Amino acid sequence: MTQTSLANVTSSPGVADEQANARLASQRRRRRESTQVLAVRVVSLSVMLVLWQIVGSQIDPILFTTPVAVFRAAVKMIGSGELWQYLAPSLLVFVYGLALAAVAGISMGLALARYRLLDAAFDIYITFLYSTPTVALVPLIVLWAGYDMTAKVIILFLFAFFPLVINTYQGVKNVDKNLLEVGKAFRCSERQLWINIVIPAALPFIVTGLRLAVGRALIGMVLADLYTAISGIGYLIVRTASTFQIDRMFVPIVTLGLLGVLSTALLRLLEKKVAPWTNAQRE
């Protein structure tokens, strides 16, 4: 069969219809799976809230609370502006610290993976600091940086920095060697290799590092509030707990959880935008 006849067969109406039907079937399957996942999540959340309400109503309000009581307290705290008063400074620290950790962590991860001498020189320090509980360094940071925002940003930076370095490093090291050989065979420069092969292949690892960094950054944010100043959402948790206002105490806790879920969802959307091929591979 000649090339012309092959092209005619490929472009024939029957083949085109089959391809269109296959795409429609794939889209319907993805919508059905998405609907099933959403339904399972809604049912799971509803069951957990009902169980929480039943169990919480049987316990002394000084020791525990219920979702209904938390919702009422949240409405009051949001309406009075109290929640935002304590959340705003913590969010500012969160944004500053996470942004600095992302820039420094990704850059250092790429550099360590690229240059063997840098890897040999700094690997032991990164392993040492990552293995050391960051909480143990907080008093020293407070002693050096004081009780202002600078100390809080440093604490949050240390919590979020290491997952980004390690995941970026592993992402670059796990790039398929065959892809690099193909790039070299086409005489790609070092810059072209990094832009077109290495960084795109490492993006899923980098995004995973960002997800881990968000969770650790939230921990660092609350810890910084507890150690450094009488402000922030961490202090709100301690203050309400010390006065046995358990329903009000759960409001900032739930807020932090929702903030983590929202940040993770935004990172997933970012991954679909910057690395759509990874989503296609999963599907």
Side-chain angles (χ1 to χ4, degrees), residues 38-57:
L38 179 61
V40 170
R41 289 177 176 174
V42 170
V43 171
S44 175
L45 179 61
S46 301
V47 171
M48 289 300 299
L49 289 176
V50 170
L51 290 176
W52 181 6
Q53 181 68 31
I54 294 173
V55 174
S57 60

Side-chain angles (χ1 to χ4, degrees), residues 77-248:
M77 296 175 72
I78 294 173
S80 64
E82 181 183 8
L83 180 61
W84 179 249
Q85 175 187 352
Y86 288 95
L87 181 61
S90 295
L91 285 179
L92 195 60
V93 172
F94 177 79
V95 171
Y96 286 163
L98 187 60
L100 291 173
V103 173
I106 294 173
S107 301
M108 181 165 286
L110 293 174
L112 294 178
R114 171 62 183 86
Y115 300 105
R116 186 178 303 175
L117 292 179
L118 285 178
D119 187 13
F122 291 100
D123 176 68
I124 186 172
Y125 301 112
I126 291 177
T127 303
F128 175 80
L129 290 173
Y130 182 66
S131 302
T132 303
T134 309
V135 179
L137 301 176
V138 171
L140 185 62
I141 295 171
V142 173
L143 180 64
W144 287 348
Y147 292 88
D148 295 330
M149 180 180 288
T150 303
K152 294 185 178 184
V153 172
I154 293 173
I155 294 170
L156 195 147
F157 174 87
L158 289 176
F159 270 89
F161 174 74
F162 295 103
L164 286 162
V165 173
I166 294 171
N167 278 272
T168 302
Y169 177 88
Q170 291 298 326
V172 175
K173 288 297 185 180
N174 280 276
V175 175
D176 191 348
K177 303 300 182 183
N178 294 325
L179 294 177
L180 295 175
E181 292 298 328
V182 171
K184 293 177 181 177
F186 281 95
R187 297 188 176 182
C188 291
S189 64
E190 183 74 11
R191 178 174 174 273
Q192 290 172 330
L193 284 176
W194 277 88
I195 293 177
N196 298 309
I197 296 178
V198 176
I199 294 179
L203 272 177
F205 288 83
I206 295 174
V207 175
T208 301
L210 282 170
R211 292 179 188 172
L212 295 174
V214 165
R216 288 178 59 86
L218 290 173
I219 298 173
M221 180 180 73
V222 175
L223 185 67
D225 289 339
L226 297 179
Y227 272 86
T228 58
I230 307 177
S231 64
I233 199 166
Y235 170 71
L236 179 61
I237 294 173
V238 173
R239 195 196 71 183
T240 52
S242 62
T243 54
F244 299 101
Q245 302 177 73
I246 307 301
D247 53 347
R248 292 167 59 83

Side-chain angles (χ1 to χ4, degrees), residues 56-70:
S57 60
Q58 307 299 320
I59 302 176
D60 191 334
I62 295 179
L63 301 176
F64 201 53
T65 187
T66 63
V68 173
V70 173

Side-chain angles (χ1 to χ4, degrees), residues 247-263:
D247 53 347
R248 292 167 59 83
M249 183 194 74
F250 268 87
V251 174
I253 294 175
V254 173
T255 302
L256 289 172
L258 292 176
L259 183 61
V261 172
L262 178 61
S263 301

